[in-house]
Amino acid sequence: MDNKEAIVAYARKTVPITELEAIEFASAFKEILVKKRQFLIQPNFTAKSRYFVLNGSLRAYVIGDDGQEHTIQLALEEWWISDYNSYIYQQPASMFVVALEDSRLLEISYDDESKLKAINHQFETFFRLLAERTAASMQRRLISNLTKSAEERYELFIERYAEFTRRFPQYVIASYLGMTTEFLSKIRNKRVKQKS
Amino acid sequence: MDNKEAIVAYARKTVPITELEAIEFASAFKEILVKKRQFLIQPNFTAKSRYFVLNGSLRAYVIGDDGQEHTIQLALEEWWISDYNSYIYQQPASMFVVALEDSRLLEISYDDESKLKAINHQFETFFRLLAERTAASMQRRLISNLTKSAEERYELFIERYAEFTRRFPQYVIASYLGMTTEFLSKIRNKRVKQKS
DNA sequence: GACAGACGATGAACTACATTAGGAAATATG
DNA sequence: CATATTTCCTAATGTAGTTCATCGTCTGTC
């Protein structure tokens, strides 16, 4: 039960939760350990759970028709990860979700989450706010992809997600930003030269 | 009160609502008429409302640093529109929202929506599902933008949003799909030739 | 401690798409 | 119904970003 304090503390940043409710809330989660390179979700299988990261790092990506990997989401401590579309609609996934480091996660199944939402208005509110923030951040990323150049997107990324830049390898960041590793390498090199 | 039946009928597709609740729900909305080219939201002003389209069409777009317009969202009958990020966080908008035709809308303010969510678990659930679906559709669009070519994005668009293709001018669709009108024109021309 | 696989850098050739500029057709609007 | 204005098309030229191929370095791992 110890590690589940983290998810309660996290939820309490958003909605008030009593001690009694906290037990109920926490009991819907199950702690799991995953090894580096272990897959949690794969295309064509339905994402039956989503995951809250206690520690470690994960990556969600799709493989396009051309065989290229495109990173859709990254997760560190206190982030959630899954194939969002698959989870919400309980339909086959299009994404891979894989651990980039040995990680400790809290898993919640779609059914257990549904029950939490149904039995308690506060829990419903918590997940509603989570969804709203997810939608808002996706929209910001979409706008960034539509309006900014590769270089600008990289600048914004390292400014906004400094920690990610340190924790994830370059090819992951490049594929998150929608460019090739080669091009990101070129951008980085240009930046270094400009500073001197 | 007449036109507000539409929003109740719409909500009932998602959650059960009693007759009594229906009145409460509908009373949070206000019918408004907007003329073609009229703006509902502009950058730097906070989007205090979101809008449900009874009839007509609207467009949400940003203007990038280079002066280019990028369409973020389109709305026809039974769609919602606003600057999502601005509305959710009640922060200054980055988008314009403008009517492309004379339109009839139902407006709900952030405060009235918050009250609906607070007083009734069903209403909260309704808006939670709305947010989840919004997030899922944004993610699908993001993936499409990352993994598909301009031509493939256009193909998917006309397949999935046939009605949009009929109702919106080409430059709007091009800027929604993240390409120039000239390039879209080229794609269309190529398609016509291929079919014969 | 050597070998294999992952990661990043670099440069040259290529391509998907943008930009610019022009004009034709369709639609509003007085 | 006449004239703006908006929308759409065509074609030449330009460029951000990709592809491909090569090489050095670093990091496990038996």
Side-chain angles (χ1 to χ4, degrees):
Chain A
M1 185 63 59
D2 213 0
N3 296 308
K4 295 193 180 171
E5 278 167 27
I7 189 73
V8 172
Y10 172 83
R12 279 187 171 141
K13 291 185 194 172
T14 301
V15 293
I17 293 180
T18 67
E19 275 310 301
L20 216 67
E21 285 171 331
I23 294 167
E24 202 171 25
F25 189 76
S27 72
F29 292 86
K30 190 173 78 186
E31 185 179 346
I32 62 169
L33 295 173
V34 291
K35 286 277 180 197
K36 186 172 177 172
R37 274 180 272 269
Q38 187 178 328
F39 285 88
L40 288 167
I41 292 169
Q42 271 173 299
N44 304 321
F45 294 88
T46 298
K48 61 175 213 319
S49 299
R50 63 165 130 188
Y51 305 90
F52 177 81
V53 182
L54 293 172
N55 56 56
S57 58
L58 300 115
R59 170 182 178 229
Y61 64 96
V62 296
I63 297 189
D65 302 328
D66 54 354
Q68 289 270 2
E69 293 184 5
H70 300 270
T71 299
I72 307 305
Q73 215 203 318
L74 297 172
L76 294 177
E77 289 73 19
E78 293 222 326
W79 289 73
W80 295 85
I81 198 158
S82 190
D83 179 326
Y84 196 83
N85 195 69
S86 171
Y87 183 69
I88 290 300
Y89 292 112
Q90 286 292 289
Q91 283 172 3
S94 62
M95 294 169 33
F96 296 87
V97 173
V98 67
L100 293 178
E101 301 170 352
D102 292 356
S103 305
R104 268 177 53 239
L105 314 174
L106 289 179
E107 170 176 13
I108 184 167
S109 73
Y110 181 80
D111 289 342
D112 287 340
E113 183 181 316
S114 299
K115 280 177 201 154
L116 283 186
K117 287 165 176 169
I119 60 174
N120 186 313
H121 194 154
Q122 292 297 334
F123 299 163
E124 179 80 82
T125 304
F126 169 76
F127 285 108
R128 187 257 301 168
L129 283 161
L130 195 58
E132 285 179 352
R133 289 167 194 166
T134 302
S137 88
M138 297 242 190
Q139 182 167 293
R140 286 195 303 272
R141 186 167 170 207
L142 186 66
I143 292 175
S144 176
N145 278 347
L146 285 173
T147 63
K148 310 284 185 190
S149 69
E151 192 166 355
E152 288 171 320
R153 290 193 316 267
Y154 179 65
E155 294 286 353
L156 286 171
F157 182 85
I158 55 177
E159 196 175 301
R160 185 154 187 149
Y161 302 109
E163 177 72 7
F164 284 50
T165 318
R166 266 172 254 125
R167 299 270 297 268
F168 293 104
Q170 225 125 259
Y171 76 91
V172 167
I173 292 170
S175 83
Y176 178 87
L177 291 172
M179 67 186 82
T180 57
T181 48
E182 293 92 334
F183 198 66
L184 178 53
S185 178
K186 213 167 287 186
I187 288 173
R188 284 172 59 90
N189 197 257
K190 190 174 147 197
R191 282 167 45 81
V192 170
K193 279 182 187 150
Q194 275 175 351
K195 285 194 179 159
S196 55
Chain B
M1 187 62 59
D2 213 0
N3 295 309
K4 295 192 181 172
E5 277 169 28
I7 188 73
V8 172
Y10 172 83
R12 279 186 171 142
K13 291 184 194 171
T14 301
V15 293
I17 294 180
T18 68
E19 275 311 302
L20 214 67
E21 286 172 329
I23 294 167
E24 201 171 27
F25 189 76
S27 71
F29 292 86
K30 190 172 79 185
E31 185 179 347
I32 62 169
L33 295 172
V34 291
K35 286 277 180 196
K36 185 172 176 171
R37 272 181 275 268
Q38 187 177 327
F39 285 88
L40 289 167
I41 291 169
Q42 272 173 299
N44 303 320
F45 295 87
T46 298
K48 60 178 213 318
S49 298
R50 65 165 128 187
Y51 305 91
F52 177 81
V53 182
L54 291 172
N55 57 55
S57 59
L58 299 112
R59 170 183 177 232
Y61 64 98
V62 296
I63 297 191
D65 301 328
D66 54 354
Q68 289 270 3
E69 293 182 5
H70 298 270
T71 299
I72 307 305
Q73 214 203 318
L74 297 172
L76 294 176
E77 289 73 19
E78 292 220 326
W79 289 73
W80 295 86
I81 197 160
S82 191
D83 178 325
Y84 196 82
N85 195 68
S86 172
Y87 182 70
I88 290 301
Y89 291 112
Q90 287 292 286
Q91 284 173 2
S94 62
M95 297 170 30
F96 296 88
V97 174
V98 67
L100 293 177
E101 302 171 350
D102 293 355
S103 305
R104 270 176 53 240
L105 313 174
L106 289 179
E107 172 176 13
I108 185 167
S109 72
Y110 181 79
D111 288 343
D112 287 340
E113 184 181 314
S114 298
K115 280 177 201 155
L116 283 186
K117 287 166 176 168
I119 61 175
N120 187 313
H121 194 151
Q122 291 296 333
F123 298 163
E124 179 80 82
T125 303
F126 170 75
F127 285 107
R128 187 258 299 170
L129 282 160
L130 195 57
E132 284 179 353
R133 287 166 193 167
T134 302
S137 88
M138 296 238 192
Q139 182 167 291
R140 286 196 302 272
R141 186 168 168 208
L142 186 66
I143 292 175
S144 177
N145 279 345
L146 286 173
T147 63
K148 310 283 184 188
S149 69
E151 190 166 357
E152 287 169 322
R153 285 186 327 259
Y154 179 66
E155 295 285 352
L156 286 172
F157 183 85
I158 56 177
E159 196 176 299
R160 185 153 188 151
Y161 302 111
E163 177 72 6
F164 284 51
T165 318
R166 269 172 252 124
R167 298 270 297 269
F168 294 103
Q170 225 123 260
Y171 76 91
V172 167
I173 291 169
S175 84
Y176 178 87
L177 292 173
M179 66 187 83
T180 59
T181 46
E182 291 89 341
F183 197 68
L184 178 54
S185 178
K186 204 171 292 183
I187 288 172
R188 284 170 58 91
N189 197 258
K190 189 175 149 198
R191 282 167 44 83
V192 171
K193 278 181 189 152
Q194 275 176 350
K195 284 193 180 161
S196 56

